[in-house]
Amino acid sequence: MSDVFSAINGRTSANNFDPTHVMSAADITELANLANQTPTSFNQQNWRLVAVNSPAAKARLKAAAYNQPKVGDAAVTFVVVGIVGGHTKLPALIKPMLDGGHIDQAAYDGWIGMANGMYNGKEQFQRDEAIRSASMAAMTLMYAAHGKGLVSGAMIGFDPAAVAAECKLAADEIPVMLIAVGNPAPGNWPRKVRRAVTEVLSFSAD
Ligand SMILES: Cc1cc2nc3c(=O)[nH]c(=O)nc-3n(C[C@H](O)[C@H](O)[C@H](O)COP(=O)(O)O)c2cc1C
C-alpha cells in the first residue's frame, strides 16, 4: 500500500489533544508549506492560514468556537481562510510564470481573460470558489499533519463573525474551517464507519 493510501486510511479526527505539546514555528510553517501545494482553480490560491498557537490567542479562539476544548488543548489551530474574488489577484500571481518563460504573453493574457470571464460579477460563485479552495487546503493540511505523526480535527462549530474579528480578516475573507493539530491525548475514537462504496459511486450511462 502506498504512503498516500495509508494516510487516507489512517487519518481520523481527534477530539483529545495533549495540552502540554508545543509546536515550533518551523514545524507549523512546514505544515503550511505542504498545504500550500494544494491546487486551486486557475491557480488563484484564494485561501490562507492563520496559525493560532499562543495560550492567550487559543483561549480567545476557543471562546469563538463554542468552547470546543480541542482549540485550547491542541498545539495549534489553523483558521483556514477563503478569499472572495481571488481571481483578481491572478495577474500578479502568475506573472512569475511569464517572466520565467514558462508561458508566453498570449497564454498569460488568455489565462487571466478566462478567469475574469468565469468569475467577474458573480459574487456567489466567487464565494463558492473561496470555500472550495479553502476546503481543499484544509484536507491537504490534515494529511500533512498525519504525515508528521500528528493528529488533526476539523471544525465548523464556530461563530464566523467572532473568528473573523479575532483574526482581523478583511471584508473579502471568510473563515471557512478550523483545523486543530497536535499530539493526541488518550480517548480518541477509532475510524468511523463510512457508507458502502456502492452508495457513493455510480457510473454514468453509456
Ligand atoms: C467540515 C467539517 C467540519 C467539522 N466540524 C466539527 C466540529 O465543529 N467539531 C467536531 O468535534 N468535529 C467536527 N468535524 C469532525 C467530523 O465529525 C468527523 O470528520 C467525522 O465524524 C468523520 O470522522 P473521521 O474524520 O474520524 O473520519 C468536522 C469535520 C469536517 C470535515
Side-chain angles (χ1 to χ4, degrees):
M1 191 186 291
S2 80
D3 288 349
V4 174
F5 289 1
S6 82
I8 290 169
N9 287 314
R11 182 214 58 84
T12 54
S13 288
N15 211 25
N16 302 332
F17 287 81
D18 173 1
T20 67
H21 177 209
V22 174
M23 269 176 80
S24 68
D27 283 344
I28 291 171
T29 303
E30 184 186 3
L31 290 179
N33 193 37
L34 288 160
N36 199 25
Q37 308 314 310
T38 301
T40 52
S41 164
F42 288 99
N43 200 28
Q44 63 185 274
Q45 302 167 67
N46 48 340
W47 64 277
R48 67 185 184 95
L49 299 172
V50 179
V52 177
N53 64 335
S54 75
K58 285 199 280 187
R60 292 194 301 270
L61 186 65
K62 180 180 169 186
Y66 308 130
N67 281 315
Q68 294 196 61
K70 49 184 165 284
V71 179
D73 292 344
V76 58
T77 293
F78 293 92
V79 181
V80 188
V81 177
I83 302 169
V84 179
H87 70 288
T88 60
K89 294 164 187 152
L90 265 178
L93 280 173
I94 63 170
K95 183 93 177 358
M97 295 182 71
L98 177 67
D99 294 343
H102 304 294
I103 55 173
D104 62 16
Q105 187 71 48
Y108 176 82
D109 292 342
W111 192 327
I112 293 163
M114 280 174 64
N116 284 339
M118 186 165 277
Y119 295 106
N120 275 353
K122 299 177 192 161
E123 173 124 12
Q124 181 63 52
F125 193 43
Q126 292 173 21
R127 191 182 161 85
D128 292 348
E129 203 56 66
I131 293 171
R132 193 160 22 235
S133 295
S135 300
M136 299 263 301
M139 192 71 250
T140 309
L141 182 61
M142 287 193 275
Y143 283 130
H146 183 86
K148 277 184 70 77
L150 302 166
V151 292
S152 64
M155 285 164 274
I156 191 60
F158 59 84
D159 174 351
V163 171
E166 168 61 24
C167 297
K168 300 184 172 50
L169 299 190
D172 61 354
E173 294 184 320
I174 310 165
V176 172
M177 216 181 295
L178 308 183
I179 307 286
V181 173
N183 282 337
N188 284 309
W189 289 7
R191 162 154 286 272
K192 300 188 193 81
V193 293
R194 294 294 194 263
R195 287 182 289 161
V197 73
T198 47
E199 290 182 45
V200 172
L201 173 69
S202 59
F203 291 89
S204 61
D206 284 339

